[in-house]
Amino acid sequence: MSGWESYYRNEGDEEEEQEESFEAGGEYKYSGRDSLIFLVDASRAMFKSQDEDELTPFDMSIQCIQSVYTSKIISSDHDLLAVVFYGTEKDKNSVNFKSIYVLQELDNPGAKRVLELDQFKGQRGEKNFQDLIGYGCDYSLSEVLWVCANLFSDVQFKMSHKRIMLFTNEDNPHGNDSAKASRARTKAGDLRDTGIFLDLMHLKKCGGFDTCLFYRDIISVAEDEDLGFYFEESSKLEDLLRKVRAKETRKRVLSRLKLKLNKDVVLTVGIYNMVQKACKPPPIRLYRETNEPVKTKTRTFNLNTGSLLLPSDTKRSQTYGSRQIVLEKEETEQVKRFDEPGLILIGFKPLIMLKKHHHLRPSLFVYPEESLVNGSSTLFNALLIKCLEKEVMAVCRYTPRQNIPPYFVALLPQEEELDDQKIQVTPPGFHLVYLPYADDKRKVPVTEKVMANPEQIDKMKAIVQKLRFKYRSDSFENPVLQQHFRNLEALALDLMEPEPVVDLTLPKVEAMDKRLGSLVDEFKELVYPPDYNPEKTAPKRKQDDDGSGSKRPKVELSKEELKAHISKGTLGKLTVAMLKEACRMHGLKSGLKKQVLLDTLTKHFQD
């Protein structure tokens, strides 16, 4: 059916595809843009570091925000970002509140904004900040949250998630003023009711950061999250970056589907994409005169009359067995639709039955959703716990959308894991693994194995043991993509030259040689012959004196057979090699082309 599907997704049909996805039970909708406000405490305490070698909390916050900006430019440049300082000497905001400075309002990330943040990095940046904005101490957090709410309300775009990320090392900002603290708690509750989430990125301070003093009642906790603000404060930039990356983007659900355990038991789940291949963004065509993006429109015309054809004037066809099968548009849509979107449980199988070669593509992640069926989380957790206890996987039929054929999938249970700082490393849920159908499997020819002796096996074990390392896929970046984006970044930020890219996929030859020592030479002596040289090119096989040697076809065509071929007109059915051999046997000068050989033989025997 892939032929129909790829043919039907033609120019001009994209809107129809979108409408079809919207009609699939009302579960597919445009989520909008992700919006994020970085709210940074700019009071005097943020500019003091614990040790001389450490970064100040303010510098850590600026570098972290700048890192998010650059990553957003590459990954999702349509998202909206803003930077707000509070506790400042000067003020700049729409409602003229004191000690609140809006550096950047909600807008798309860009090179100009990154350069604006760069002026506040390091010791030079601290001096620039003091000259341009200045740090103070008196502020009201309720007014700060009010300004952030106004920034969200001024945006004209539809927003999927509205988040505020608060950077501070003060655990009790209104310790001596209960009225200010009460107003801040009330305003934080108002933001939570309007769908604005507040995350705390607390930084290290003398005596430790106690969230129970004030921020416990301020921070928003989503329904599917644990109390994530109890992890330890950040003292290093790496720890802060890790927390921000975990919180900066709400995971967008691909689709919300029903998981049917039987006819009467149904729960709702969300499908999430865990791995997506990173590619270079496609180039955008611009009009030469104004540099404005241009749009491409495709029209269908009649080949004979040149008249414009409407969608209703065309049909779809596909050749099957030299016969052209023609279908109407409605028939094509009906052929493509197999079942309603969702997951249908087929049964359970032991986990050991899933083999590595069964994984056809990157898996998806399944997590409970309460939006369509109440109680889905409870039933989902019960199913997950039992699958983990019994070490089984659920085998299901998976239909992503109405116009997509069903897939055969396995749901692998995964238990929740937390690190030392109580940050979730792996969430609880099921990995949706695509399984092959019987038609997808191929038989691979098995070559005869050459068995190694025990001494060779032991030597290779020693080599493998020496070269083992702790592998993490997120430690290896694509060097081609990194170089591409570094070049774009250098052009956008007017840098003299792009930042050099380290290719982490190259083996560390010197370190490997140092680890192995003489093991490689000892292994080569055990396996290869004494005169073996892997870099030596194989000698070319010499041909016989008469040219083609043993590869020449052994053809003996008599004079009568050649005359018979000429008279019947079948001489052209002979191969070039056979014609050359016939010319050689009769002492004729033969050329390279077949027609020359045919003319030479025909003229010789007709004369």
Side-chain angles (χ1 to χ4, degrees):
M1 297 312 300
S2 58
W4 283 111
E5 192 171 343
S6 59
Y7 184 84
Y8 184 46
R9 282 184 184 167
N10 239 336
E11 301 91 344
D13 288 345
E14 296 176 0
E15 295 180 1
E16 297 172 9
E17 287 285 340
Q18 290 177 359
E19 289 174 3
E20 288 178 16
S21 64
F22 294 154
E23 293 170 0
E27 298 163 16
Y28 307 97
K29 59 182 180 179
Y30 172 64
S31 57
R33 303 189 184 192
D34 197 4
S35 54
L36 175 61
I37 295 177
F38 294 102
L39 187 57
V40 183
D41 183 359
S43 57
R44 190 179 298 273
M46 286 284 286
F47 293 88
K48 296 178 180 178
S49 58
Q50 300 286 336
D51 299 322
E52 293 183 0
D53 298 334
E54 287 186 359
L55 297 172
T56 63
F58 183 83
D59 195 14
M60 284 174 55
S61 304
I62 293 296
Q63 290 193 36
C64 183
I65 295 169
Q66 196 174 22
S67 174
V68 174
Y69 263 72
T70 53
S71 65
K72 284 281 189 182
I73 290 174
I74 295 171
S75 61
S76 49
D77 58 344
H78 289 292
D79 290 347
L80 306 175
L81 302 177
V83 178
V84 178
F85 297 126
Y86 69 94
T88 58
E89 181 181 355
K90 298 179 182 179
D91 54 84
K92 178 188 171 186
N93 56 82
S94 59
V95 285
N96 297 323
F97 284 143
K98 299 294 183 182
S99 303
I100 302 172
Y101 194 95
V102 179
L103 180 70
Q104 297 173 356
E105 296 189 356
L106 280 167
D107 203 351
N108 305 123
K112 185 178 179 181
R113 292 186 151 214
V114 175
L115 289 173
E116 191 176 8
L117 287 170
D118 195 61
Q119 65 178 330
F120 299 127
K121 284 172 56 178
Q123 294 181 351
R124 178 182 57 84
E126 182 179 348
K127 185 177 183 303
N128 289 339
F129 185 86
Q130 180 61 23
D131 295 338
L132 295 174
I133 303 174
Y135 46 76
C137 57
D138 187 27
Y139 58 87
S140 171
L141 200 58
S142 64
E143 295 177 350
V144 175
L145 298 179
W146 189 308
V147 170
C148 293
N150 286 350
L151 289 177
F152 285 120
S153 62
D154 292 339
V155 176
Q156 302 298 321
F157 302 105
K158 181 181 179 182
M159 291 176 285
S160 61
H161 300 103
K162 293 180 278 190
R163 303 175 75 82
I164 300 171
M165 202 168 282
L166 177 61
F167 295 83
T168 184
N169 66 344
E170 177 56 61
D171 55 3
N172 194 10
H174 301 315
N176 300 325
D177 194 333
S178 58
K180 280 187 178 181
S182 177
R183 287 198 298 270
R185 291 187 178 95
T186 303
K187 189 61 184 176
D190 295 341
L191 293 183
R192 196 179 305 118
D193 294 338
T194 57
I196 300 175
F197 287 86
L198 182 62
D199 290 320
L200 177 64
M201 298 294 137
H202 49 299
L203 303 162
K204 190 175 182 181
K205 63 170 291 188
C206 294
F209 195 106
D210 188 0
T211 56
C212 297
L213 293 177
F214 177 74
Y215 285 104
R216 180 172 186 168
D217 304 323
I218 296 292
I219 303 304
S220 307
V221 180
E223 293 179 359
D224 58 346
E225 290 182 331
D226 197 354
L227 298 180
F229 52 85
Y230 282 113
F231 44 68
E232 297 177 5
E233 65 268 15
S234 301
S235 59
K236 296 182 180 179
L237 179 61
E238 293 78 10
D239 297 336
L240 183 60
L241 279 170
R242 191 155 54 91
K243 292 177 187 177
V244 170
R245 284 169 185 158
K247 289 278 188 180
E248 71 172 272
T249 306
R250 294 277 296 165
K251 297 296 183 293
R252 291 187 176 98
V253 63
L254 284 179
S255 59
R256 294 178 179 89
L257 302 172
K258 291 181 179 179
L259 171 56
K260 298 180 181 178
L261 303 184
N262 58 31
K263 291 182 179 180
D264 302 322
V265 182
V266 178
L267 65 148
T268 310
V269 294
I271 309 295
Y272 295 84
N273 193 6
M274 303 295 287
V275 178
Q276 180 72 34
K277 184 179 179 181
C279 303
K280 294 180 183 178
I284 300 173
R285 293 180 181 271
L286 303 176
Y287 182 49
R288 181 190 295 272
E289 304 296 333
T290 61
N291 276 354
E292 293 179 353
V294 296
K295 292 183 178 180
T296 303
K297 288 188 176 181
T298 305
R299 295 288 182 266
T300 307
F301 294 91
N302 189 313
L303 187 62
N304 298 323
T305 63
S307 60
L308 179 65
L309 297 177
L310 300 175
S312 58
D313 297 331
T314 60
K315 297 181 179 180
R316 276 83 178 172
S317 70
Q318 192 169 27
T319 304
Y320 182 80
S322 70
R323 183 184 173 188
Q324 196 174 37
I325 310 298
V326 181
L327 293 179
E328 299 289 345
K329 178 184 173 182
E330 294 76 13
E331 293 174 322
T332 308
E333 293 174 356
Q334 193 173 4
V335 166
K336 288 168 58 178
R337 291 180 179 174
F338 289 85
D339 199 357
E340 290 296 320
L343 283 158
I344 301 175
L345 179 65
I346 297 175
F348 297 93
K349 287 289 183 182
L351 289 172
I352 57 173
M353 293 192 68
L354 184 66
K355 306 301 180 183
K356 291 182 179 179
H357 62 271
H358 290 161
H359 294 70
L360 292 178
R361 51 192 278 193
S363 62
L364 302 175
F365 194 74
V366 182
Y367 200 75
E369 285 274 347
E370 294 282 339
S371 57
L372 296 177
V373 179
N374 292 330
S376 295
S377 298
T378 305
L379 182 55
F380 184 91
N381 290 332
L383 179 64
L384 177 63
I385 291 170
K386 282 302 174 183
C387 286
L388 288 169
E389 287 179 358
K390 297 181 178 296
E391 297 184 348
V392 295
M393 60 182 176
V395 181
C396 299
R397 170 191 171 109
Y398 171 48
T399 307
R401 292 194 300 273
Q402 281 188 347
N403 59 346
I404 300 293
Y407 294 101
F408 192 45
V409 299
L411 301 184
L412 264 68
Q414 174 176 279
E415 195 172 6
E416 183 182 24
E417 291 183 16
L418 304 175
D419 64 3
D420 298 336
Q421 294 188 344
K422 303 301 180 184
I423 299 177
Q424 190 182 77
V425 179
T426 56
F430 289 94
H431 283 282
L432 189 149
V433 179
Y434 291 89
L435 299 177
Y437 286 113
D439 315 80
D440 301 329
K441 293 188 176 181
R442 296 289 181 268
K443 290 184 178 180
V444 180
V446 181
T447 56
E448 185 180 353
K449 290 194 297 184
V450 179
M451 298 301 295
N453 58 49
E455 190 178 0
Q456 294 170 343
I457 294 173
D458 293 339
K459 191 64 67 177
M460 181 50 69
K461 282 182 179 179
I463 292 175
V464 171
Q465 192 66 30
K466 288 285 185 181
L467 295 182
R468 293 184 67 177
F469 69 101
K470 192 174 182 180
Y471 172 76
R472 287 186 59 186
S473 59
D474 53 0
S475 300
F476 296 89
E477 296 173 332
N478 187 334
V480 177
L481 282 180
Q482 292 301 313
Q483 186 64 59
H484 174 76
F485 288 120
R486 295 283 172 85
N487 293 339
L488 291 180
E489 182 182 3
L491 290 171
L493 302 180
D494 295 329
L495 302 178
M496 294 296 294
E497 59 182 14
E499 188 179 344
V501 176
V502 180
D503 190 351
L504 299 174
T505 61
L506 293 175
K508 299 179 180 179
V509 180
E510 294 182 1
M512 292 169 65
D513 290 343
K514 187 176 180 181
R515 277 189 180 187
L516 292 174
S518 61
L519 284 175
V520 175
D521 295 329
E522 295 171 4
F523 180 77
K524 286 165 65 176
E525 291 177 2
L526 290 173
V527 177
Y528 299 111
D531 57 345
Y532 174 73
N533 183 9
E535 298 179 357
K536 186 178 179 181
T537 57
K540 293 184 178 179
R541 186 168 56 185
K542 294 183 179 180
Q543 294 183 345
D544 296 336
D545 296 337
D546 55 352
S548 59
S550 59
K551 288 187 177 181
R552 183 189 300 122
K554 297 180 179 180
V555 181
E556 295 181 1
L557 291 173
S558 63
K559 190 175 182 180
E560 290 73 18
E561 288 176 332
L562 289 172
K563 285 183 177 181
H565 279 297
I566 293 172
S567 61
K568 293 178 182 179
T570 58
L571 188 64
K573 292 184 177 181
L574 302 178
T575 63
V576 174
M578 296 169 69
L579 294 173
K580 282 184 177 181
E581 181 68 15
C583 290
R584 190 186 66 80
M585 288 177 62
H586 292 85
L588 303 175
K589 291 183 178 181
S590 60
L592 297 176
K593 295 184 179 181
K594 187 173 185 178
Q595 188 60 46
V596 177
L597 297 172
L598 293 173
D599 294 341
T600 302
L601 288 170
T602 304
K603 184 178 179 182
H604 173 72
F605 285 104
Q606 284 180 349
D607 295 342

